[in-house]
């Protein structure tokens, strides 16, 4: 049995420890925001946070998350009325086209902004490796800059999201 926390709730998985975390999230927990893309950890559609760090859940065996804390796109916002700054920026710039990769893009961006709170275009281009088949990279870049600005504003006002 593998026990972990997901979106601030305890969960125990009693299946095969080699099962990819993605399938536990989608099939056992019925959280479908995290998407299957490539299955080899390249595209990033399956990105979640494990202990606050972006990870590709399609290549992470559930055994690797024992006693860890997982956050999916469903757990990122405080509430429907209190979105994370990255989510707000994504909406402001109308980033999604088909939307399939966007949960992974958002989760990767949240982690990226922890490491690069005031990113340059080069920082974004060098570190954001998630793939968007629709090619919304220009809007993604604008939204990342806006999210950094919103995050700085939130930290100045004491909002810790």
């Amino acid at each position: 049995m593998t026990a972990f926390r997901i979106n601030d709730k305890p969960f125990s998985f009693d299946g095969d420890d080699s099962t990819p975390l993605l399938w536990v999230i989608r099939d056992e927990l019925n959280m479908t925001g995290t998407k299957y893309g490539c299955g080899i950890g390249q595209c990033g559609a399956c990105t979640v946070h494990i202990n606050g760090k972006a990870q590709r859940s399609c290549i992470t065996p559930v055994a690797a998350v024992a006693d860890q804390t997982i956050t999916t796109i469903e757990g990122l916002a405080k509430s429907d009325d209190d979105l994370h700054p990255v989510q707000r920026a994504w909406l402001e710039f109308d980033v999604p086209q088909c939307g399939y990769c966007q949960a992974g893009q958002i989760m990767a961006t949240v982690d990226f902004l922890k490491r690069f709170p005031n990113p340059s275009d080069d920082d974004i281009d060098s570190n954001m490796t998630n793939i968007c088949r629709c090619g919304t990279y220009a809007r993604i870049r604008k939204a990342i800059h806006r999210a950094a600005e919103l995050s700085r504003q939130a930290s100045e006002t004491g909002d810790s999201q």
Side-chain angles (χ1 to χ4, degrees):
M1 181 173 305
T2 304
F4 54 92
R5 292 191 66 77
I6 186 157
N7 299 336
D8 293 324
K9 295 178 183 158
F11 179 74
S12 294
F13 178 68
D14 200 19
D16 183 348
D17 281 348
S18 67
T19 302
L21 177 60
L22 172 64
W23 299 121
V24 174
I25 291 168
R26 290 184 59 83
D27 295 344
E28 301 295 322
L29 292 161
N30 297 311
M31 293 183 212
T32 57
T34 305
K35 303 294 189 222
Y36 174 81
C38 66
I40 59 171
Q42 295 298 306
C43 74
C46 66
T47 303
V48 298
H49 291 175
I50 300 174
N51 295 332
K53 183 172 175 16
Q55 300 282 327
R56 309 286 168 95
S57 64
C58 72
I59 57 169
T60 303
V62 72
V65 301
D67 302 319
Q68 307 297 310
T69 300
I70 314 301
T71 304
T72 68
I73 191 71
E74 291 91 347
L76 190 59
K78 291 180 182 177
S79 71
D80 289 344
D81 296 324
D82 191 8
L83 297 177
H84 189 280
V86 174
Q87 292 170 308
R88 292 197 320 262
W90 246 244
L91 291 171
E92 183 178 329
F93 283 94
D94 197 23
V95 172
Q97 190 165 322
C98 84
Y100 196 83
C101 70
Q102 296 307 310
Q105 296 279 3
I106 289 169
M107 297 304 285
T109 298
V110 170
D111 182 42
F112 168 76
L113 288 174
K114 289 177 192 172
R115 295 176 286 121
F116 296 89
N118 192 21
S120 67
D121 285 347
D122 286 341
D123 293 333
I124 294 167
D125 294 345
S126 297
N127 292 279
M128 292 297 296
T129 60
N130 287 39
I131 296 170
C132 176
R133 294 186 323 182
C134 298
T136 64
Y137 298 110
R139 291 191 307 238
I140 289 170
R141 184 184 294 138
K142 287 178 185 176
I144 290 171
H145 285 297
R146 177 66 174 144
E149 180 183 336
L150 291 170
S151 294
R152 285 190 300 272
Q153 290 171 357
S155 67
E156 289 170 6
T157 62
D159 183 8
S160 63
Q161 187 138 320

